[in-house]
């Protein structure tokens, strides 16, 4: 009996340990959501609301859309959108990228004002800000040290600033001859 009782006890302890670990993981996940993700979502909703309500997104998109008519213009567009100061503000909800993308696709490409081979480079030109709004939250979720956040956020912002124009050039080279 002692062997069978000991066996049942060890199974009970093992199951209890697994259930306890899963329960604790669930508690920590909820704590992370409440402490980091929900405030970030509220902030992003506020920024998107302000951008949409004031019309700043549409005005900025209309101002930048003429740059899409050449490769040099697309590189300049990528540099403007990828500015380390602007990209965290332009990133939330990709509002600016959506508006510019709609203007480029529905207006310039459809009317023939933009050559079709610029469609792929334009996609990369309007998206260098992707992810820049989530960097601080991602580092917080990873429980990064404050020093890591101080170095990591600017590093990613500047890397997107540099790689944005490179992505436009690579996309332009890849699209050469597609529509000839």
């Amino acid at each position: 009996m002692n062997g069978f009782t000991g066996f049942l006890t060890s199974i009970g302890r093992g199951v209890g340990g697994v259930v306890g670990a899963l329960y604790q993981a669930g508690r920590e996940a909820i704590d992370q959501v409440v402490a980091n993700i929900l405030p970030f979502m509220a902030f992003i909703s506020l920024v998107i609301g302000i951008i949409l309500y004031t019309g700043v997104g549409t005005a900025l998109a209309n101002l930048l859309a003429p740059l899409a008519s050449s490769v040099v213009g697309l590189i300049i567009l990528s540099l403007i959108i990828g500015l380390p100061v602007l990209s965290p503000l332009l990133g939330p909800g990709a509002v600016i990228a959506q508006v510019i993308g709609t203007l480029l696709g529905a207006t310039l490409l459809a009317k023939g004002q933009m050559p079709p081979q610029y469609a792929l480079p334009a996609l990369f030109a309007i998206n260098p800000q992707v992810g820049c709004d989530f960097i601080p939250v991602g580092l917080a979720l990873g429980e990064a040290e404050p020093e890591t956040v101080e170095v990591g956020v600017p590093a990613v912002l500047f890397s997107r600033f540099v790689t944005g124009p490179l992505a436009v050039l690579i996309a332009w080279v890849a699209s050469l001859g597609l529509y000839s």
Side-chain angles (χ1 to χ4, degrees):
M1 271 300 183
N2 194 10
F4 183 69
T5 305
F7 174 71
L8 289 177
T9 303
S10 65
I11 288 178
R13 285 186 183 158
V15 169
V18 169
V19 169
L22 292 175
Y23 177 74
Q24 185 60 32
R27 288 182 62 164
E28 289 177 12
I30 296 297
D31 288 344
Q32 285 289 343
V33 167
V34 170
N36 295 315
I37 295 175
L38 289 178
F40 176 71
M41 289 173 66
F43 168 72
I44 295 305
S45 298
L46 174 70
V47 170
I48 291 171
I50 290 170
I51 289 172
L52 292 175
Y53 181 76
T54 61
V56 169
T58 305
L60 188 57
N62 286 324
L63 181 71
L64 296 176
L67 292 173
S69 59
S70 70
V71 175
V72 174
L74 289 172
I75 292 171
I76 293 170
L77 179 65
S78 173
L79 287 169
I80 291 170
I81 293 175
L83 282 172
V85 175
L86 283 180
S87 54
L89 299 174
L90 298 178
V95 173
I96 304 298
Q98 290 177 25
V99 174
I100 293 176
T102 302
L103 285 172
L104 295 180
T107 306
L108 298 177
L109 277 171
K111 290 181 180 177
Q113 297 173 346
M114 179 177 162
Q117 63 265 23
Y118 289 162
L120 184 61
L123 175 67
F124 286 97
I126 64 174
N127 283 313
Q129 86 290 348
V130 171
C132 291
D133 54 334
F134 194 74
I135 297 163
V137 174
L139 289 172
L141 288 174
E143 298 178 0
E145 298 292 326
E147 295 82 16
T148 304
V149 175
E150 289 175 10
V151 173
V153 171
V156 171
L157 292 176
F158 280 107
S159 72
R160 295 296 290 167
F161 181 68
V162 171
T163 59
L166 293 174
V168 171
L169 286 174
I170 292 169
W172 177 68
V173 169
S175 67
L176 286 176
L178 283 178
Y179 300 97
S180 302

